[in-house]
Amino acid sequence: MVVSKINEVRDQLHRLYQSFEMGEAFDTLPDQMTDLKLSLVYAARRTKVVPRTEGAVEDLQALLKKVSVDLINDENEDENKVDDETLMLLLKNSGSLNEAIRDRGIFFVVSGLMNRGLLQDEQIWPALQYLTSDEVLYDHILEPENDAVFGRSMAVLLCSVFLVADQIHGRVLTREQYWSVIEKIACYILLEQDARGYVPNYGWAHAFTHVGNVLSAMADSQLTRAQKLFFMTSVMVAYQQSTQSFSFGEDQRIANATLEVATKEPFYAKYLVRIFQVWPQRTPTDPRVSGVDFWVKWYNRTHYFLNLMVVPDIPQVLVDFIKKLPEY
């Protein structure tokens, strides 16, 4: 049942993209995507989350320590490259609820390998295929707030690392491969309802910040204009319709990432204004009626725009729109 619901959303999203790509939904896409977001039905109860891990914790800790030490000592680069089996073992444990293993272990090791150029060309696509598989990216996503968010969100963060690696390695992904990753993450962020930041005893959830990292990585990709605008729309619609307050820098990350896209050419900035125009129309307008929902969305919007306005090179068309916004 869950799989069929996710497939239904994915199919609807793909149809929206096909229409948008053909130029049939340029003005209406933000509204159509908002309709899709608001139509989502989530389960009333959560089921047991089994953390996504593999192998003994002690062995994994030893492996993380060894690779970390090698990176710090900057030993012979060829010797520091991880084999496919080792890399996949790290990815398969990225759903661990142990902050030291997940956030301060696996993420830092994989990003360290990327920064040092130690990932191999042929490792990038299989890693992204695993991280965007349904079992990983949509794990328990239709249920109330649950521990699977740490694995889902970490998968997105690691996707951003491998997308940056693709750019560093001279674009080893085909456009079709790259878009398949982005399209799945577009579906993910529309489905994701857990907007927690730092969670005591568990570490970072930070789903929206991590999606911002993907949006930033995508800005310089080989994707088409339609693909870039489509993904930016999905991120902005999800941000606009979040029912949770962002208090761990998500507003700043999303603002900076959208600007990285919007500043590529004037057309992108004009389209971002089109997304902005939908915002006040599709969120509560009266605090006396909507109460906390109004204030959550109003402050999320206000903080996003404030973060845009402090950027020196913000396109004037965005400034003009923001200055005309009413206080409420």
Side-chain angles (χ1 to χ4, degrees), residues 2-199:
V2 172
V3 173
S4 63
K5 286 184 178 180
I6 291 173
N7 284 337
E8 181 180 345
V9 174
R10 187 159 42 203
D11 290 344
Q12 291 181 60
L13 197 60
H14 184 67
R15 287 195 293 272
L16 286 180
Y17 168 68
Q18 289 178 315
S19 178
F20 183 69
E21 184 185 36
M22 294 175 64
E24 299 174 351
F26 178 81
D27 287 328
T28 59
L29 180 65
D31 269 313
Q32 291 176 314
M33 206 174 282
T34 301
D35 289 339
L36 176 57
K37 171 67 178 175
L38 295 177
S39 73
L40 299 176
V41 178
Y42 294 89
R45 302 179 64 180
R46 64 176 60 88
T47 58
K48 182 180 179 180
V49 173
V50 179
R52 200 163 25 84
T53 59
E54 183 174 297
V57 173
E58 295 78 9
D59 293 341
L60 180 62
Q61 290 172 326
L63 174 63
L64 288 169
K65 182 177 180 180
K66 179 186 181 304
V67 179
S68 298
V69 169
D70 289 343
L71 288 172
I72 293 172
N73 293 336
D74 198 22
E75 301 292 344
N76 183 280
E77 288 191 357
D78 288 335
E79 294 179 0
N80 282 349
K81 289 183 177 180
V82 297
D83 58 42
D84 298 348
E85 184 179 356
T86 299
L87 179 60
M88 195 54 64
L89 179 62
L90 295 176
L91 301 185
K92 288 183 177 180
N93 280 278
S94 60
S96 171
L97 299 183
N98 185 323
E99 178 189 8
I101 289 177
R102 187 186 69 251
D103 294 347
R104 291 179 280 125
I106 293 170
F107 169 67
F108 280 108
V109 164
V110 175
S111 60
L113 291 168
M114 181 271 292
N115 289 328
R116 298 286 180 83
L118 297 175
L119 293 174
Q120 301 170 60
D121 290 0
E122 59 272 17
Q123 292 175 323
I124 295 175
W125 175 234
L128 287 167
Q129 283 182 298
Y130 172 76
L131 293 168
T132 57
S133 62
D134 288 4
E135 296 78 11
V136 175
L137 197 57
Y138 307 129
D139 188 24
H140 293 267
I141 200 168
L142 293 178
E143 299 176 15
E145 192 175 277
N146 60 77
D147 290 344
V149 68
F150 298 101
R152 296 194 302 265
S153 181
M154 180 54 64
V156 173
L157 180 58
L158 291 172
C159 279
S160 73
V161 172
F162 284 100
L163 292 177
V164 172
D166 172 66
Q167 183 176 0
I168 293 174
H169 288 238
R171 296 181 176 176
V172 299
L173 297 174
T174 66
R175 180 179 292 174
E176 291 71 23
Q177 290 172 334
Y178 202 112
W179 175 238
S180 73
V181 172
I182 295 300
E183 194 170 25
K184 289 174 182 177
I185 296 177
C187 183
Y188 161 79
I189 197 57
L190 286 181
L191 292 170
E192 184 63 83
Q193 59 178 337
D194 193 336
R196 286 179 291 173
Y198 187 81
V199 182

Side-chain angles (χ1 to χ4, degrees), residues 271-291:
Y271 189 77
L272 186 55
V273 169
R274 178 69 193 100
I275 300 175
F276 289 167
Q277 290 170 340
V278 173
W279 208 332
Q281 300 168 6
R282 304 303 300 269
T283 51
T285 57
D286 190 341
R288 294 168 298 180
V289 175
S290 305

